[in-house]
Amino acid sequence: MHRIAIIGSTGMLGQPVTKAFIEQGFEVSLLVRNSRKARNIFGSAVRLVEGDIKNADSIKELLQEGQDALYLNLSVTPKSRKKDFQPEREGLQTILAVAKRSSVSHIGYVSSLVHFCQGHNGFNWWVFEIKEKAVQSIKESGLSYSIFYPSTFMESFDKGAYRQGNRINLAGNSLFPMYLIAGKDYARQVVKAFTINNGSQDYIVQGLEGFTADEAARIVAANYPKGKLYILKLPMRVLRFLGKFFNTLNYGANIIEALNQYPEKFGAQKTWDLLGKQEITLAEYARNS
């Protein structure tokens, strides 16, 4: 597979994957909302299609240049509601309908490891239900697939959900270690999966070390080179109460509860054997942030 189309390239997790495909010599086409932003990030080495996954014509234009494969980095926006348009639900259905009529023979999709918390100790969240159905839709599409189930990304602690200003925000009790991964390591494994084209595969993606959220926050704060980071921890009941009034905080309460409760076990040996082992430790990642 030499030509790849990517949807979801400019975000925190999409950028390292897209750059890795470019560096490995793939012909990369991107569906983007803002072509100027994308050009500033990726330069002239990519073909850009400005559009939206709500529009089937945008997807057709993305895939019309004889694309071999398609990689999807879709997610639920934290401020959205269940009834709103969801990229991993309505958007995915449109993408698959177009892809099945195109030259695309293989599709990659980033899910999450923690979504397997659905049903654990009665945990039930519509966001994880959407993710479950997205995987099912891809597997039933008739296309060959690579589905990635990553553990928590290290970027979450200095660029993503845990970080706000100069604070790392925690809540509740993190009961189990998470095998944290760096976006750069993940990107390398994704590109390897498309390079070897090993048919339909599920890949559990985990890092070298397991840390609870509290342990990880302390390591990041101790090694972060760009200023002092403070760790703030709220009782879960407070976050749950605030989530009644703000969709974003309600999303945060659910994802943190899932991360706190999910008994993650190491299961990435098969992925390491096929795609290579993770290389970046959490302390090393934080020092190079």
Side-chain angles (χ1 to χ4, degrees), residues 86-128:
Q86 295 296 343
E88 290 179 284
R89 189 177 58 203
E90 293 87 0
L92 179 61
Q93 294 307 312
T94 303
I95 292 167
L96 291 176
V98 175
K100 287 190 286 187
R101 297 193 298 270
S102 74
S103 58
V104 168
S105 62
H106 192 84
I107 186 167
Y109 167 71
V110 54
S111 182
S112 72
L113 194 56
V114 73
H115 97 277
F116 291 115
C117 188
Q118 183 80 337
H120 177 72
N121 289 338
F123 185 88
N124 183 55
W125 188 25
W126 62 267
V127 171
F128 286 173

Side-chain angles (χ1 to χ4, degrees), residues 62-210:
L62 175 72
L63 302 182
Q64 71 180 5
E65 297 292 327
Q67 303 299 321
D68 301 312
L70 174 62
Y71 176 77
L72 303 176
N73 179 24
L74 309 175
S75 62
V76 172
T77 304
K79 64 181 180 181
S80 69
R81 293 182 171 88
K82 182 178 181 178
K83 65 182 179 181
D84 295 339
F85 174 90
Q86 295 296 343
E88 290 179 284
R89 189 177 58 203
E90 293 87 0
L92 179 61
Q93 294 307 312
T94 303
I95 292 167
L96 291 176
V98 175
K100 287 190 286 187
R101 297 193 298 270
S102 74
S103 58
V104 168
S105 62
H106 192 84
I107 186 167
Y109 167 71
V110 54
S111 182
S112 72
L113 194 56
V114 73
H115 97 277
F116 291 115
C117 188
Q118 183 80 337
H120 177 72
N121 289 338
F123 185 88
N124 183 55
W125 188 25
W126 62 267
V127 171
F128 286 173
E129 180 183 329
I130 286 176
K131 289 187 175 296
E132 287 179 335
K133 291 182 178 178
V135 169
Q136 181 181 355
S137 294
I138 291 171
K139 290 187 173 182
E140 293 175 351
S141 69
L143 296 169
S144 175
Y145 60 81
S146 295
I147 298 179
F148 304 92
Y149 303 94
S151 182
T152 302
F153 283 91
M154 296 176 186
E155 282 83 350
S156 298
F157 286 88
D158 74 316
K159 299 180 181 68
Y162 285 108
R163 174 80 182 273
Q164 185 176 20
N166 64 347
R167 300 193 311 272
I168 299 176
N169 295 316
L170 305 176
N173 297 314
S174 179
L175 301 177
F176 302 97
M178 303 174 287
Y179 289 85
L180 302 172
I181 54 174
K184 188 175 181 179
D185 271 343
Y186 170 70
R188 177 174 49 80
Q189 290 182 321
V190 170
V191 173
K192 183 65 175 294
F194 279 82
T195 301
I196 64 175
N197 191 17
N198 202 29
S200 294
Q201 294 282 341
D202 291 320
Y203 296 106
I204 294 175
V205 182
Q206 292 171 301
L208 302 170
E209 308 163 300

